[in-house]
Amino acid sequence: MVASSESKGLQDPFGDPVYKAAVIDVLGAVAYGEVSAVERLTDDAKMAPSLEDKTALLAMAAAQQAKIQPVLDRLGELGVDAYAAMEPLREGFDAFHTHTRPSDWWESLVKAYVGDGLANDFYREIAGYLDEETRKLVVTTLEDSGRADFVVDRVRAGIEADHLIGGRLALWGRRLMGEAITQTQQIAATREGLSGLIIDDHLPGLDLGTIGEMLTRITQRHVERMGKLGLEH
Amino acid sequence: MVASSESKGLQDPFGDPVYKAAVIDVLGAVAYGEVSAVERLTDDAKMAPSLEDKTALLAMAAAQQAKIQPVLDRLGELGVDAYAAMEPLREGFDAFHTHTRPSDWWESLVKAYVGDGLANDFYREIAGYLDEETRKLVVTTLEDSGRADFVVDRVRAGIEADHLIGGRLALWGRRLMGEAITQTQQIAATREGLSGLIIDDHLPGLDLGTIGEMLTRITQRHVERMGKLGLEH
């Protein structure tokens, strides 16, 4: 959090158009990420083996949905059309979902848990470098509603019943992580706001070195998450 | 509401096993109806022409989703497995959705609005004959979150732009109503609890005559709803 307090400084950070464009991109990504997560979770719920499992996944989808509106409102306050802000981020998220379409219920569960976890870690890291209001909003959208416990229970029970599932899902987790990194890099490379933020030193403390450390931390948390599911990374 | 105050009487209505079975069926229907509405609305959101429309439909789905848990909790209080209570109601709802799959965005919008309205009217009518606690719970799940206004705006604008849409959607509304009646009758006929309730006079005031009046009122409200959309019934 040292970086964030430095970046706040004395003047309004939104006076810097590069900073403002980057925040709009981050919020657009958070919002569209939630929209696409709601769609995928609800789709995946169709594969649920029981009504109880289906209802639990729909509840996870609704928890994501509830986080969309505050982000749209904030984009409005920043004077931009929230839907226009989401638009350029669609391709990356849609590609992620197209490339990681679960083939069964187990893959859906792991994707719901691992995908959500990765996204949350990533936004939390980025938020540390942003102004206080944006940071608070982003961190609030990431609060875990605790529903993910059901995924952990289900996956662990599934592996216990059939050890082959564990090997397959460990590979699946690696694929989700690889695809997430690929798409994040694609988005960062195509969005001038985001890459400009780093290259031109608009945020003190955020450079290629700290981004490397950030990725290390995100990977470490991914490994911990896989372990919680009973899966080797 | 005369009937409901009579039905409460002095003793616990749940002492009557036929009454209890019927309430479990009604709550199972409300819960599974919400589950299937969430799934269909989210599916239909894929046809949205813009991110704004998509987000609005996802918000309607989330509003439905939020109503599921209190009904599941109440079924638990009544000592039954909520998911087992939903199971026998699935077929009717799934058949309704299979027979009314929207072929485009306009049909999705009208189905979201008209289908939700019909279900709400039906449950509100039934609730009037039930004990106070069940009635309050059912009526709470029916509270309109006001998001349906967006459907009215969109459909009216669509008809204004292209009058052919109006004729097609008027037919669509009739089909939704017909299919809803067919499936409700099927459910009532196959669920002993629900038909027993009426045949054996377990609820003073509810008989075939009052059911006829109920259907008349529901139809009347459907016609009003179609009118609000700018559609002839």
Side-chain angles (χ1 to χ4, degrees), chain A residues 74-163:
Chain A
R74 178 65 181 149
L75 281 163
E77 283 168 23
L78 292 175
V80 292
D81 179 307
Y83 304 100
M86 282 193 246
E87 207 59 59
L89 284 316
R90 284 181 88 157
E91 202 183 322
F93 283 97
D94 290 353
F96 173 76
H97 288 299
T98 304
H99 295 166
T100 58
R101 211 181 282 282
S103 64
D104 66 5
W105 173 241
W106 299 110
E107 292 188 359
S108 300
L109 281 180
V110 172
K111 183 175 170 181
Y113 182 74
V114 164
D116 194 37
L118 277 174
N120 285 0
D121 284 346
F122 178 73
Y123 295 131
R124 204 184 306 271
E125 290 279 356
I126 292 288
Y129 293 93
L130 304 178
D131 62 285
E132 194 178 347
E133 196 169 350
T134 308
R135 183 170 65 246
K136 272 190 187 160
L137 172 65
V138 171
V139 171
T140 307
T141 70
L142 307 181
E143 269 166 17
D144 185 10
S145 46
R147 295 177 202 270
D149 290 348
F150 124 92
V151 176
V152 175
D153 289 348
R154 287 294 193 272
V155 173
R156 293 195 81 100
I159 296 169
E160 212 158 289
D162 179 356
H163 282 277

